Amino acid sequence: MRRFLPLFTSTAALALILPQAACAQMQGPALGLTQQSVAGAYQAPNSIQPETTLSITAQATVKREPDIAYINAGVQAEGDTATEAMESQAEAMTSVFDALETAGVAKKDMQTSNFSLWPRYTYIETKLKDGSSRGEQKLIGYTASNQLTIKVRDLDNLGSMLDSLVKAGGNTFNGLNFALDDNTEVRNEARREAMAQARARADLYAEAAGLRVMRIVTISESGNYSPSPMPMARMEAMASDKANTPMAGGEVGYNATVNVVFELGQ
């Protein structure tokens, strides 16, 4: 019995050491794996690897003949005093409102877009006895401005309406934009075309890479209306000819831009 006691004792000690060493070996790799997996090796079941995605931006424009127009026009009047300037513009503006109503423009389609009154100065330079000069500003009057944004639904009579507005006292014209009264469908058509272009390009790239489009990951949209502007001008020139001022609406375009991220796979 005494001969086997040391061997038994050593075996027990070895058995006690081995599990600890084994635990130490298991804890080391397990800890390292946890750090790596949390940092990036582990992925949720629905996560997408960046190298398997394709981002496409596509734009489409759909053009249509306009059916309405927006104009910004009004009256600018001067006077020696603020009261005179205000009274002068008020008289002319009343005539403009009457002319627009006679031309068939509804009150709901007229909105004041700007109203202002400001002083006018001139610079006077006075020579002094010592040969120097002194300059000062001198008030010479006031200017009043009243501007309207007008929605015109009858484009066939747009030119004649502008002529009647000028004859009634309107003397400022700040722009003309054509548009569609209801642009919902044309915008949706532009969206469909942009999306179709994005998908076609994604298929092309995927085929070239030996892959195929698996699904769409994200879609984002941006878009804007492309107006057909008319340069700013004074309106007196429009009333110089007896014939109606000619107008051309041309086409207006509506753009849609989509940004699509596709997932590619085998």
Side-chain angles (χ1 to χ4, degrees):
M1 294 297 292
R2 292 182 180 177
R3 294 177 59 187
F4 296 101
L5 180 57
L7 179 61
F8 175 79
T9 304
S10 300
T11 304
L14 181 61
L16 181 61
I17 294 172
L18 286 177
Q20 294 178 350
C23 291
Q25 293 177 359
M26 291 176 63
Q27 290 175 358
L31 179 59
L33 178 60
T34 301
Q35 292 173 344
Q36 294 176 1
S37 61
V38 171
Y42 174 77
Q43 292 190 5
N46 293 326
S47 63
I48 304 300
Q49 290 283 1
E51 62 268 22
T52 63
T53 60
L54 172 66
S55 179
I56 297 289
T57 298
Q59 183 183 73
T61 301
V62 176
K63 296 182 178 181
R64 292 287 184 272
E65 183 178 349
D67 55 15
I68 60 170
Y70 291 96
I71 64 173
N72 186 271
V75 172
Q76 183 171 301
E78 298 179 351
D80 293 336
T81 66
T83 300
E84 289 180 3
M86 289 291 291
E87 290 177 348
S88 180
Q89 70 81 23
E91 181 179 356
M93 204 65 193
T94 299
S95 299
V96 167
F97 276 115
D98 293 340
L100 291 173
E101 290 184 14
T102 302
V105 179
K107 290 184 178 180
K108 67 178 182 178
D109 292 333
M110 294 182 284
Q111 185 177 48
T112 300
S113 56
N114 183 54
F115 184 87
S116 57
L117 173 69
W118 66 93
R120 290 180 290 112
Y121 294 92
T122 188
Y123 183 80
I124 299 177
E125 186 175 357
T126 304
K127 294 290 185 179
L128 302 179
K129 293 182 179 181
D130 60 1
S132 61
S133 61
R134 181 180 64 188
E136 61 179 354
Q137 287 186 332
K138 181 180 179 180
L139 179 67
I140 59 174
Y142 290 84
T143 301
S145 177
N146 194 340
Q147 301 298 310
L148 283 176
T149 297
I150 307 161
K151 183 178 182 179
V152 182
R153 301 176 186 273
D154 185 4
L155 296 186
D156 292 336
N157 294 322
L158 177 59
S160 61
M161 187 272 290
L162 290 174
D163 291 337
S164 63
L165 190 154
V166 174
K167 293 176 182 177
N171 59 5
T172 59
F173 179 69
N174 300 313
L176 168 64
N177 290 326
F178 293 96
L180 293 176
D181 195 20
D182 184 2
N183 58 35
T184 303
E185 181 53 38
V186 69
R187 284 186 179 278
N188 288 340
E189 183 175 346
R191 293 182 178 107
R192 286 190 289 267
E193 289 191 11
M195 193 64 200
Q197 290 183 24
R199 179 56 195 256
R201 288 167 59 188
D203 289 335
L204 184 149
Y205 282 118
E207 181 181 0
L211 302 172
R212 64 187 180 91
V213 175
M214 304 293 290
R215 67 185 181 97
I216 293 175
V217 180
T218 62
I219 303 175
S220 60
E221 177 197 36
S222 61
N224 65 291
Y225 160 57
S226 303
S228 301
M230 183 176 180
M232 296 175 62
R234 299 287 293 187
M235 293 185 67
E236 289 86 352
M238 292 186 176
S240 60
D241 298 330
K242 293 183 178 179
N244 293 334
T245 300
M247 290 289 169
E251 290 184 329
V252 291
Y254 291 86
N255 301 332
T257 302
V258 292
N259 306 290
V260 189
V261 176
F262 297 90
E263 179 189 0
L264 306 182
Q266 296 291 339

